[in-house]
């Protein structure tokens, strides 16, 4: 019984072929494709409004040099947002509950921001490792601490996204299982758990959106430090 709760996080396969690639590409297929018409449909207008809003929020803390990253950050935001929301549907698989995938997204982008800073302003980037006015005896310890905190940033990004989504999916499954089991014996309690399940689902929709935004926002803040 305990293992069945975690079956939803295992990568689906068909005839031994993993289907995580299809689950990863599915959100992109749901976006309406651009057309040459002068008057676009309501869905296209809503899509453009959402993309403009996301891009504006992500580019606020960045200067003009950081605006080159607008396409990457906005695409990542839309991908995480759609993937997290689609994972809340019944009988679906959420790729962002896999730590390996989240680290594969976080580590290259974090490394790119770090290398950008070391190439453009190496003295400023290295200066973050040692705060100004540090007493001489504390310099080695602070350099070690700041270097460690710098290196664990991609790990923190991946673990934060994985832990929040995994915890939410487990809570939904536990409460839905309790609702089903109690329906025949204690209908009143089952109805109360159903209300809790409905409220939790709304909360998880908000968590899915917030976690996607936090993931990309932290990357933009890391980029701000290096440009």
């Amino acid at each position: 019984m305990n293992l069945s709760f975690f079956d939803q996080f295992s990568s689906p396969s068909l005839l031994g072929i993993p289907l995580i690639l299809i689950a990863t590409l599915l959100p992109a297929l749901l976006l309406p494709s651009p057309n040459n018409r002068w008057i676009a449909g309501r869905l296209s207008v809503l899509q453009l409004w959402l993309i403009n809003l996301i891009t504006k929020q992500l580019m606020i803390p960045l200067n003009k040099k950081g605006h080159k990253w607008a396409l990457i950050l906005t695409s990542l935001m839309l991908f995480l947002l759609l993937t997290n929301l689609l994972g809340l549907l019944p009988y679906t698989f959420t790729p962002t509950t896999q730590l390996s995938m989240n680290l594969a997204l976080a580590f290259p982008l974090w490394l790119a921001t770090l290398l950008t800073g070391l190439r453009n302003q190496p003295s400023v980037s290295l200066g973050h490792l040692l705060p100004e006015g540090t007493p001489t005896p504390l310099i080695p310890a602070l350099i070690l601490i700041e270097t460690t905190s710098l290196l664990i940033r991609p790990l923190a990004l991946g673990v934060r996204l994985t832990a929040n989504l995994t915890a939410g999916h487990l809570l939904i499954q536990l409460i839905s299982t309790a609702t089903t089991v109690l329906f025949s014996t204690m209908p009143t309690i089952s109805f109360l758990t159903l209300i809790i399940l409905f409220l939790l689902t709304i909360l998880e929709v908000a968590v899915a959106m917030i976690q996607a935004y936090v993931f990309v926002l932290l990357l933009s803040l890391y980029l701000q430090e290096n440009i």
Side-chain angles (χ1 to χ4, degrees), residues 60-136:
I60 285 177
L62 300 177
N63 55 23
K64 291 185 178 180
K65 293 182 179 179
H67 292 177
K68 299 176 182 178
W69 291 65
L71 180 60
I72 297 177
L73 296 179
T74 304
S75 301
L76 179 62
M77 175 70 184
L78 291 175
F79 170 74
L80 292 176
L81 182 62
L82 292 176
T83 304
N84 294 347
L85 292 177
L86 288 175
L88 294 174
L89 297 176
Y91 303 104
T92 56
F93 171 69
T94 312
T96 46
T97 56
Q98 307 294 313
L99 181 60
S100 58
M101 176 176 174
N102 294 334
L103 290 179
L105 291 174
F107 183 77
L109 293 174
W110 165 83
L111 184 61
T113 61
L114 182 62
L115 293 179
T116 300
L118 292 176
R119 185 188 64 178
N120 296 334
Q121 44 182 15
S123 58
V124 176
S125 299
L126 295 177
H128 291 304
L129 301 179
L130 184 62
E132 187 178 357
T134 303
T136 304

Side-chain angles (χ1 to χ4, degrees), residues 2 8 18 22 39 54-55 63 68 87 94 101 109 111 113 118 136 138 142 149 158 161 167 187 193 196 198 215:
N2 293 333
Q8 59 178 319
I22 298 178
I39 302 177
I54 292 174
T55 306
N63 55 23
K68 299 176 182 178
T94 312
M101 176 176 174
L109 293 174
L111 184 61
T113 61
L118 292 176
T136 304
L138 297 179
L142 279 179
S149 65
L161 182 59
T193 55
I196 296 175
F198 177 73
F215 188 93

Side-chain angles (χ1 to χ4, degrees), residues 6 27 35 39 42 56 71 73 80 82 87 106 141 167 180 199:
F6 293 92
N35 51 61
I39 302 177
R42 292 185 177 91
K56 181 179 178 181
L71 180 60
L73 296 179
L80 292 176
L82 292 176
T180 305
L199 296 176

Side-chain angles (χ1 to χ4, degrees), residues 151-213:
L151 295 179
I152 65 174
R153 281 181 174 181
L155 180 62
L157 282 175
V159 170
R160 181 187 295 107
L161 182 59
T162 303
N164 282 282
L165 295 180
T166 302
H169 283 65
L170 284 177
L171 280 175
I172 289 177
Q173 185 168 359
L174 286 171
I175 296 178
S176 60
T177 303
T179 303
T180 305
V181 172
L182 295 174
F183 181 75
S184 58
T185 57
M186 292 181 285
T188 305
I189 303 299
S190 177
F191 180 72
L192 293 177
T193 55
L194 182 61
I195 296 176
I196 296 175
L197 179 61
F198 177 73
L199 296 176
L200 180 62
T201 304
I202 296 177
L203 177 63
E204 284 306 312
V205 171
V207 169
M209 299 171 65
I210 292 172
Q211 288 304 317
Y213 177 70

